[in-house]
Amino acid sequence: MSGLLSVEEVLARVLARVQVLPSESVPIADALGRVLAEDIIASFSVPPFRNSAMDGYAVRAADVSNATAETPVSLTPIEDISAGRMPQRTIGQGEAARIMTGAPLPPGADAVVPVEDTDDRWRVEGYTPLPARVAVFRPVAAGGNVRPAGEDIQAGQVVLRAGTILRPQDIGVLVSLGFGTLAVRRQPRVSILATGDELVEVGQPLLPGQIHNSNSYMLAGLVQQCGGIPFRLPVARDTLDEVRARFEEALALQPDFVLSSAGVSVGTHDVVRVVVEQLGRIEVWRVNVKPGKPLAFGQVGGVPFFGLPGNPVSAMVTFELFVRPALHKALGADPLAVPLTTAVLEEDLTLDGRRTYVRVILRERNGELVARTTGTQSSSVLMSMVLADGLMIIPEGQSRVAAGSRFPVRLLRPLLHSG
Ligand code: AMP
Ligand code: MG
């Protein structure tokens, strides 16, 4: 189809205009979901010292190699080592130290016999003084139940790369390495506008012909999900003065991006284009995608601007395709990384030849994922996004695809199993 740009061409043009934001320092407790601004290199090993993986007795493995339940090996406990304390003695031949999980292994010992494999009864009877002798019922291999120093992380290792979106386990590792603060990317500030004479804010009664401004809230949620800070502006009527005033308010918030929904098509009241041309520059691209009307992109007051379609599904899908990658690039994260799987279509589909993102419900059948549509694929039916597990990607140039075909699916949520 001539005059249409592919999703990839448009994405490349958008990304070329996006700058990576500066970094800032945050306390580790506030770092969840933030994006690392630099590689993290371990300055010491974790664990820093060789320690016991079990409650039991630190021994020399060679001393207990012949131990059995019938012919136990008797050792002399010389010390109690609890977690957090350093051993004071070296284990000699025929000796052992009672040791707790996480406590440093004493010199001389090379293995830990679990308490269950001894006649020590402390597990059953509570704390008991160190016995004069302990019987070991089972051999243990050298290194058995011992965690070597650096088992988790080696000093000098690159633990996390710049661009990582921090998860709880990443935070845990960073704290184990002593990071109390971190260099992360500043969060992009995103001003969100909605235009339309038919729109009223939630909480206001709907008069005949009116609908609630749902796009602004949905887009704010998407921005937050991407690690940005959304600023929702009041609805602008479809007049040049009001739309212009709203854009000026949006710019006063010193945003890194400006988003608007609706008003960029060819409707007689679509004034967004006019206003953006006054305040900056705009390009409107016809994208070979469905859903998705023309996408407007440019700058207002020097700030990157996206004019998204008004239809809620189109707004959300074009956000996913173009705005999410832009926000991720600004954050220094990989703009192209998306959760992707494949699934087998369960029904025939008729298409118009555009790249189509079909809202699908996924389930597992005989060990493979199968997909059925959410029902009507109208771009005004936001329930299709509520019901969908993912967007099945049908390549351009198809007028019909048959049940049984396999296509990639971009996941909109993790696939859950209950029970
Ligand atoms: P437009 O791009 O102005 O032609 O709008 C396309 C469709 O999207 C129309 O049905 C609008 O009523 C609807 N729409 C526009 N803006 C919003 C919004 N903020 N929230 C929900 N629906 C909207
Ligand atoms: Mg409109």
Side-chain angles (χ1 to χ4, degrees):
M1 276 182 220
S2 65
L4 293 189
L5 296 175
S6 70
V7 169
E8 287 69 27
E9 284 168 312
V10 168
L11 182 56
R13 290 182 190 204
V14 166
L15 291 179
R17 313 263 183 89
V18 175
Q19 303 293 318
V20 179
L21 292 166
S23 66
E24 64 185 12
S25 175
V26 291
I28 189 84
D30 299 333
L32 187 67
R34 301 296 299 270
V35 182
L36 270 181
E38 42 192 46
D39 291 349
I40 298 291
I41 296 163
S43 59
F44 57 86
S45 294
V46 178
F49 48 86
R50 189 175 71 136
N51 69 88
S52 179
M54 302 283 276
D55 293 337
Y57 280 84
V59 301
R60 296 153 62 116
D63 286 358
V64 297
S65 58
N66 295 321
T68 66
E70 294 73 36
T71 57
V73 170
S74 178
L75 299 173
T76 307
I78 58 169
E79 189 176 12
D80 245 330
I81 311 167
S82 53
R85 298 258 314 278
M86 283 307 288
Q88 302 301 310
R89 313 262 311 263
T90 297
I91 306 300
Q93 196 179 351
E95 294 179 337
R98 192 156 69 175
I99 192 164
M100 299 300 126
T101 304
L105 215 71
D110 62 1
V112 173
V113 177
V115 63
E116 293 81 359
D117 293 342
T118 73
D119 67 351
D120 192 318
R121 309 295 298 154
W122 101 69
R123 276 294 180 82
V124 183
E125 294 167 7
Y127 179 79
T128 50
L130 196 61
R133 309 285 296 168
V134 65
V136 173
F137 300 131
R138 229 203 262 242
V140 63
N145 303 315
V146 173
R147 303 162 172 163
E151 183 184 44
D152 191 356
I153 299 163
Q154 298 278 340
Q157 182 184 336
V158 177
V159 174
L160 291 165
R161 292 278 179 199
T164 300
I165 302 171
L166 293 168
R167 302 168 301 163
Q169 55 269 55
D170 304 323
I171 306 274
V173 157
L174 288 163
V175 170
S176 73
L177 288 170
F179 286 88
T181 58
L182 281 180
V184 296
R185 291 286 153 200
R186 181 165 75 63
Q187 294 180 271
R189 298 164 60 87
V190 184
S191 291
I192 298 171
L193 295 116
T195 62
D197 287 340
E198 74 280 30
L199 302 177
V200 288
E201 289 300 348
V202 66
Q204 301 296 113
L206 290 179
L207 299 177
Q210 295 183 328
I211 60 169
H212 287 305
N213 166 23
S214 54
N215 282 354
S216 289
Y217 290 82
M218 178 184 75
L219 292 171
L222 287 164
V223 166
Q224 277 182 291
Q225 239 183 20
C226 291
I229 304 173
F231 299 95
R232 278 181 295 100
L233 288 118
V235 168
R237 311 283 119 223
D238 288 319
T239 67
L240 277 177
D241 286 350
E242 198 162 326
V243 170
R244 190 185 163 103
R246 211 57 92 230
F247 267 93
E248 280 164 355
E249 282 171 52
L251 289 173
L253 294 164
Q254 299 195 299
D256 301 296
F257 294 90
V258 175
L259 303 185
S260 72
S261 66
V264 288
S265 47
V266 290
T268 46
H269 301 285
D270 291 339
V271 294
V272 170
R273 268 171 96 149
V274 179
V275 169
V276 175
E277 290 284 10
Q278 289 171 359
L279 297 176
R281 251 183 59 77
I282 192 167
E283 285 186 72
V284 178
W285 295 317
R286 295 175 62 228
V287 189
N288 191 5
V289 67
K290 186 180 176 177
K293 278 196 180 167
L295 174 79
F297 181 78
Q299 51 88 7
V300 271
V303 178
F305 162 73
F306 289 91
L308 303 177
N311 274 313
V313 177
S314 306
M316 191 166 183
V317 171
T318 48
F319 184 102
E320 289 293 336
L321 295 180
F322 307 114
V323 187
R324 186 182 293 275
L327 293 176
H328 278 159
K329 179 171 178 195
L331 282 162
D334 181 352
L336 304 181
V338 290
L340 210 61
T341 184
T342 63
V344 174
L345 191 57
E346 280 189 303
E347 49 195 280
D348 296 336
L349 291 181
T350 307
L351 306 135
D352 69 0
R354 280 185 282 173
R355 163 93 55 93
T356 306
Y357 289 81
V358 182
R359 278 78 78 202
V360 292
I361 295 167
L362 299 173
R363 70 186 171 84
E364 215 175 290
R365 194 187 59 196
N366 304 329
E368 68 176 2
L369 278 182
V370 294
R372 65 188 161 85
T373 64
T374 54
T376 173
Q377 297 289 299
S378 162
S379 60
S380 57
V381 174
L382 192 52
M383 277 304 289
S384 68
M385 291 301 282
V386 170
L387 296 172
D389 294 308
L391 300 171
M392 180 171 259
I393 308 169
I394 315 287
E396 24 293 80
Q398 315 267 344
S399 56
R400 193 178 160 277
V401 291
S405 319
R406 180 182 288 277
F407 293 103
V409 176
R410 183 168 169 151
L411 290 172
L412 293 168
R413 59 180 165 206
L415 294 174
L416 303 178
H417 293 257
S418 54

